[in-house]
Amino acid sequence: MMELNTLQIDILRSLTFPEPFDTLVEEIKATEPVIGAELKELIVWGLVQVMREDERGRYVSSIYYDSDNMRAFRYQTSSKGLQFQAG
């Protein structure tokens, strides 16, 4: 079973709703590059979903994102991430 570090758990808990990268930087006590690296890992593991704004202003899941421009998207804990947190 995969184990999360404290920072990864903090990130998951901060992403109940679609949040911009800057919110994570403000709320999490780590440097921006470290938060970005941990967030990317959570995305790869399927614990966080990348969200983009659609034409109606709603946030929908996106398969693609620009890992060099993390601010262009929002992020939300996935159902797998919620289950992982609980278990």
Side-chain angles (χ1 to χ4, degrees), residues 18 50-62 72-74:
V50 178
M51 309 294 286
R52 65 172 176 77
E53 192 171 2
D54 71 7
E55 58 280 348
R56 293 185 175 175
R58 297 176 297 184
Y59 289 98
V60 296
S61 184
S62 175
F73 299 88
R74 292 193 180 221

Side-chain angles (χ1 to χ4, degrees), residues 3-14:
E3 288 192 33
L4 299 180
N5 62 42
T6 304
L7 181 57
Q8 291 167 332
I9 292 168
D10 288 345
I11 290 171
L12 286 177
R13 288 182 179 156
S14 295

Side-chain angles (χ1 to χ4, degrees), residues 30-42:
T31 64
E32 187 174 317
V34 170
I35 294 169
E38 296 291 355
L39 179 59
K40 290 173 191 175
E41 193 163 340
L42 292 169

